[in-house]
Amino acid sequence: MQLTFLGTGAAGGVPLWGCDCLICRRARIDVSAIRRPNCALIEADGVKLLLDAGVMDVCERFPSGSLSAILITHFHPDHVQGLFHWRWGVGELNVFAPHDVEGCADLYKYPGPLKFKHLSKFESFEVGGVRITPVPLVHSKPTLGYCIEHNGARLAYLTDSREIPPATTEFLTQWQPHTICLDCTYPPGVEGKRNHFDFPEVLELSKIYPDSYIVLMHISHSLDVWLLNHPLALTGRLSLARDGDRLDIPGLS
């Protein structure tokens, strides 16, 4: 099973409009520093699952018939804005998502070929032999993480969260994912109400899952700057995702 990051950025992206920090200046001349909206592609034995659709050109990247389904974590615009182009297409494409009566704008009213299917937490289902278990996360909208398994390979994709509920923690502890892709938006020292994890919180969470590799995503420009000045902060099982990175999730040999 493989995961490819189509985007790894927080809502504002990198470069952030109007910002003149070192990272944003770099991203304007170096495409490798750009962070687009956080979303990814899962591939396993011919199955292709799109995890969120924040990148605006997703319907161009994935022509009709190329995707098995879409998994939506929540209905904030930076995670679903790419769906709006799809509504003018033909055919059918299943979109699995959390229960959210509001959705985003008029997606529910004018879905076009998008067939929304609302999920219940911890109720597993399969798409082409890939087993998916939605798990609840704490965010400002109804939000699900996805635990994805195929042929012994186990990946937990947990974006946009300020807290992992005890039931989700218990599930992950028993399930033992090889890799956890985890929201890490902020550097240390960000005060006030937040709907995303900061780096110290992620360090603490990583201790709960000592056998899992932790890949940080949903990165803000401020965390990029902090990590540039603290290059030894990422050690051991923690790594930083970048747009275009590909992860191989090992399964049964």
Side-chain angles (χ1 to χ4, degrees):
M1 187 164 66
Q2 295 176 320
L3 178 143
T4 303
F5 287 102
L6 308 182
T8 56
V14 178
L16 186 68
W17 190 85
C19 180
D20 197 41
C21 75
L22 176 60
I23 288 295
C24 289
R25 292 200 308 271
R26 176 179 295 179
R28 292 186 182 103
I29 60 174
D30 179 0
V31 295
S32 69
I34 291 174
R35 293 193 185 277
R36 298 172 181 85
N38 205 103
C39 55
L41 177 71
I42 288 282
E43 298 175 272
D45 277 353
V47 174
K48 291 187 177 183
L49 301 171
L50 184 62
L51 287 160
D52 283 336
V55 176
M56 293 296 288
D57 65 347
V58 280
C59 66
E60 298 172 24
R61 296 193 194 198
F62 303 106
S64 178
S66 62
L67 286 176
S68 306
I70 300 175
L71 307 178
I72 296 298
T73 61
H74 66 297
F75 283 94
H76 275 151
D78 59 310
H79 291 259
V80 298
Q81 57 195 4
L83 294 180
F84 285 85
H85 298 292
W86 252 306
R87 299 187 301 169
W88 308 107
V90 296
E92 291 189 1
L93 182 58
N94 287 333
V95 182
F96 297 96
H99 287 274
D100 185 333
V101 295
E102 294 179 348
C104 181
D106 58 356
L107 269 176
Y108 288 159
K109 188 175 181 180
Y110 303 109
L114 304 175
K115 305 303 177 185
F116 287 99
K117 300 178 181 297
H118 291 134
L119 301 172
S120 296
K121 58 187 180 182
F122 302 114
E123 291 190 5
S124 301
F125 63 101
E126 290 195 3
V127 176
V130 176
R131 186 172 180 82
I132 303 157
T133 304
V135 295
L137 301 173
V138 178
H139 192 47
S140 55
K141 291 273 279 181
T143 301
L144 294 173
Y146 290 104
C147 295
I148 302 168
E149 181 174 8
H150 176 72
N151 194 31
R154 291 181 173 181
L155 167 77
Y157 188 86
L158 312 175
T159 189
D160 286 55
S161 182
R162 69 170 186 267
E163 180 184 337
I164 297 180
T168 298
T169 298
E170 181 179 355
F171 177 88
L172 291 169
T173 301
Q174 295 177 356
W175 192 61
Q176 289 292 303
H178 174 274
T179 302
I180 300 175
C181 297
L182 184 61
D183 178 315
C184 186
T185 300
Y186 298 114
V190 175
E191 301 293 338
K193 186 177 180 180
R194 292 184 282 107
N195 283 308
H196 301 271
F197 291 125
D198 63 20
F199 189 77
E201 290 168 332
V202 166
L203 285 180
E204 289 302 309
L205 283 170
S206 70
K207 297 175 183 177
I208 303 174
Y209 312 106
D211 298 319
S212 300
Y213 290 96
I214 312 294
V215 181
L216 310 185
M217 61 182 184
H218 207 276
I219 308 299
S220 69
H221 69 133
S222 58
L223 180 60
D224 267 335
V225 171
W226 186 84
L227 288 172
L228 190 65
N229 293 319
H230 298 82
L232 299 182
L234 287 173
T235 58
R237 296 178 296 112
L238 270 67
S239 64
L240 185 69
R242 295 200 174 276
D243 291 21
D245 281 358
R246 190 164 190 161
L247 306 179
D248 290 307
I249 317 300
L252 300 176
S253 58

